[in-house]
Amino acid sequence: MDFLTTKVKGECFGCEACAQICPKSAVSISEDEEGFRYPFINEELCINCGLCHKVCPANNMPEASKDSKYAYGGYHKSNNVRRFSTSGGAFTAIAQAWCDENYVVYGAASKGLDVFHYGIDDIKKLPVICKSKYSQSRIGNTFIKIRDDLKAGKKVLFSGTPCQVTGLKTFLQNADTTNLLLVEVICEGVPSPHYIRKLDDHVERKYGARIKKLDYRSKGFKSAPSSFKWDFQRMCLELKNGTILDKDRWFNPYWSIWLKHLMSRPSCYQCPFTTTERQADITLGDLWGVHLYCPELYGKNGGASLIVCNTEKGKELWNKAAKRFVGHELDFETALKYQSPMRKHIDGNPQRDDCMRDLMDTSMDYTEICKKWADAPTKKLLFQKYVWGNRQKVFLWNLRHRSEEE
């Protein structure tokens, strides 16, 4: 059974495959009161062909890869690439290795607060679809375009969340996917857009302008590695009047509320994709735990990536991409310890519905939301992050390592 039949929101991942497969455009996608997108059938246009149900991952889950995993950690050799990447620049390295000729790369792009999937056929435009957006993108007709691109003999790289990758696989069904490379990001649930919309209202009232550009994971404004701040996970806002606002993760209410799982999509609390058996050829994420088990890959806080190859196609491609990286193979089980979204779905929070009601309440502003639902950082946490954080631990490791070599 699926959402189109049951209307149970936990059964819809928001991949939008059903809307794109419909031959009569009878399936439309619209937001519910929580801000999440769901499909709805126009019965007057529906011919009961059943294709929308057939492509729904809830009904027809493709077989996941059970190949042995190849894990790799490191960062791109180009400091400029790392600066404009959320982690270590792995997606850029993959695209550079894949895109030789007659190619299209699809990924999430943003304009203001809007996040949508977008295709490029010029590698120079890749930064448009780089960096994590922390918002479920509108797929639109991307799957249809990919099907047409593959029929035309083009090489296609698709990047998205695990549920979007799976939606594409069910949509393509028996199509020839030899020229298709699937790359997914490790996902810890998608948040409601209502929080960011309240933030947008707040900055307009306080600074006289709305958000022009939102970078959830900024590393700073300078290109020198010494200025990188990957660990700090800074959210940076550029307003339409030129004002720049940024805040480290531990002072940012957004991270507190989201990571307490107070505003995630219902299906994220029972996500079937949070296992080691993956649908994509390659899985990408931050190399969390780098300072503990592979500090040599920390790279002056410039960002480090975890790359997990799930298929032979993925491993073959990464072997080409790795030439652009500083890094090495990792033990998969060790890396897995620091990647909970690859082991289990997020836990439900009993206060989730209450928080969502407040987010939907137009009379409750951003400041009130943050005061009620976000946790302030403790002195112990601030000491651990700013006084004795990952940077200091890696620095000490480097000193010890040099003395042992001498």
Side-chain angles (χ1 to χ4, degrees):
M1 302 295 284
D2 56 48
F3 171 79
L4 288 171
T5 302
T6 67
K7 303 305 179 185
V8 175
K9 292 181 178 180
E11 297 177 351
C12 178
F13 312 119
C15 70
E16 304 186 26
C18 54
Q20 295 181 75
I21 200 68
C22 182
K24 297 297 182 179
S25 300
V27 182
S28 60
I29 305 293
S30 59
E31 283 191 2
D32 72 346
E33 65 279 3
E34 293 185 341
F36 299 111
R37 293 164 58 78
Y38 292 92
F40 296 93
I41 297 177
N42 183 333
E43 298 296 344
E44 294 182 359
L45 297 177
C46 179
I47 59 174
N48 296 310
C49 64
L51 288 177
C52 56
H53 302 289
K54 186 176 180 180
V55 300
C56 178
N59 292 328
N60 188 22
M61 186 69 70
E63 184 176 358
S65 172
K66 298 180 181 180
D67 294 348
S68 58
K69 307 297 180 182
Y70 175 81
Y72 186 103
Y75 52 88
H76 204 288
K77 293 178 181 178
S78 168
N79 285 333
N80 196 49
V81 168
R82 293 172 72 197
R83 179 192 175 196
F84 292 104
S85 302
T86 299
S87 306
F91 178 66
T92 296
I94 290 169
Q96 290 171 331
W98 178 259
C99 300
D100 44 19
E101 58 181 14
N102 199 26
Y103 60 83
V104 187
V105 182
Y106 290 91
S110 62
K111 185 176 182 180
L113 303 184
D114 294 330
V115 180
F116 50 92
H117 254 68
Y118 182 74
I120 62 166
D121 56 8
D122 183 350
I123 195 69
K124 295 179 181 178
K125 298 178 181 179
L126 194 65
V128 173
I129 54 176
C130 286
K131 296 191 74 70
S132 298
K133 307 301 189 297
Y134 292 89
S135 177
Q136 190 164 33
S137 64
R138 299 195 310 273
I139 291 291
N141 62 349
T142 296
F143 294 174
I144 296 173
K145 290 180 179 179
I146 289 175
R147 182 181 60 190
D148 294 343
D149 289 336
L150 292 173
K151 287 182 179 179
K154 295 182 180 180
K155 294 180 66 176
V156 178
L157 193 166
F158 176 82
S159 172
T161 59
C163 53
Q164 291 174 333
V165 166
T166 306
L168 174 59
K169 290 181 72 172
T170 59
F171 176 86
L172 293 175
Q173 300 180 49
N174 298 320
D176 183 358
T177 56
T178 303
N179 288 333
L180 175 65
L181 183 72
L182 297 173
V183 178
E184 66 178 8
V185 294
I186 297 174
C187 176
E188 195 168 346
V190 292
S192 168
H194 284 326
Y195 177 92
I196 294 298
R197 291 169 183 170
K198 282 187 178 291
L199 173 60
D200 194 31
D201 292 338
H202 171 74
V203 296
E204 183 186 32
R205 287 193 297 269
K206 187 172 182 178
Y207 300 98
R210 289 192 174 272
I211 298 172
K212 176 182 179 181
K213 183 178 180 181
L214 171 58
D215 188 344
Y216 286 88
R217 296 274 302 278
S218 172
K219 293 178 182 175
F221 303 105
K222 299 178 181 179
S223 59
S226 60
S227 72
F228 284 159
K229 293 189 176 181
W230 170 58
D231 271 351
F232 291 75
Q233 299 180 54
R234 303 166 72 196
M235 178 181 282
C236 178
L237 310 180
E238 180 184 343
L239 308 187
K240 292 181 179 180
N241 62 4
T243 301
I244 300 293
L245 306 171
D246 69 337
K247 188 173 294 186
D248 291 353
R249 167 182 169 174
W250 304 286
F251 294 97
N252 188 345
Y254 171 84
W255 294 110
S256 175
I257 297 173
W258 176 56
L259 290 174
K260 288 197 294 182
H261 307 147
L262 286 165
M263 56 178 179
S264 296
R265 187 183 179 95
S267 59
C268 297
Y269 298 97
Q270 53 194 54
C271 177
F273 309 109
T274 51
T275 71
T276 56
E277 296 181 359
R278 316 297 288 187
Q279 298 286 345
D281 297 301
I282 299 175
T283 301
L284 300 179
D286 291 272
L287 187 56
W288 299 131
V290 58
H291 64 291
L292 298 174
Y293 72 99
C294 49
E296 70 279 3
L297 301 179
Y298 186 69
K300 298 181 180 179
N301 204 12
S305 295
L306 171 67
I307 302 96
V308 177
C309 301
N310 304 301
T311 65
E312 285 301 315
K313 179 192 286 187
K315 185 175 180 180
E316 181 180 347
L317 192 281
W318 178 251
N319 285 336
K320 297 178 182 178
K323 297 176 182 178
R324 297 174 170 84
F325 250 52
V326 175
H328 57 71
E329 183 178 357
L330 301 171
D331 175 68
F332 176 66
E333 294 301 325
T334 301
L336 197 63
K337 293 179 181 178
Y338 304 95
Q339 298 293 342
S340 61
M342 291 189 71
R343 293 182 278 109
K344 64 183 182 68
H345 57 69
I346 62 175
D347 296 325
N349 190 317
Q351 294 182 299
R352 188 263 182 194
D353 290 346
D354 292 335
C355 180
M356 286 306 309
R357 276 192 287 271
D358 286 346
L359 285 172
M360 293 183 288
D361 186 350
T362 56
S363 67
M364 197 165 186
D365 66 18
Y366 172 78
T367 303
E368 294 173 305
I369 290 288
C370 295
K371 184 177 181 179
K372 182 175 180 179
W373 294 107
D375 294 334
T378 64
K379 292 181 180 179
K380 180 180 178 181
L381 175 65
L382 296 179
F383 177 83
Q384 291 174 336
K385 299 303 180 181
Y386 290 97
V387 179
W388 184 237
N390 295 346
R391 294 168 298 151
Q392 291 80 11
K393 294 174 184 177
V394 173
F395 177 75
L396 181 60
W397 179 89
N398 284 327
L399 287 180
R400 289 175 176 171
H401 188 66
R402 290 195 198 100
S403 63
E404 290 173 0
E405 290 181 341
E406 294 173 356

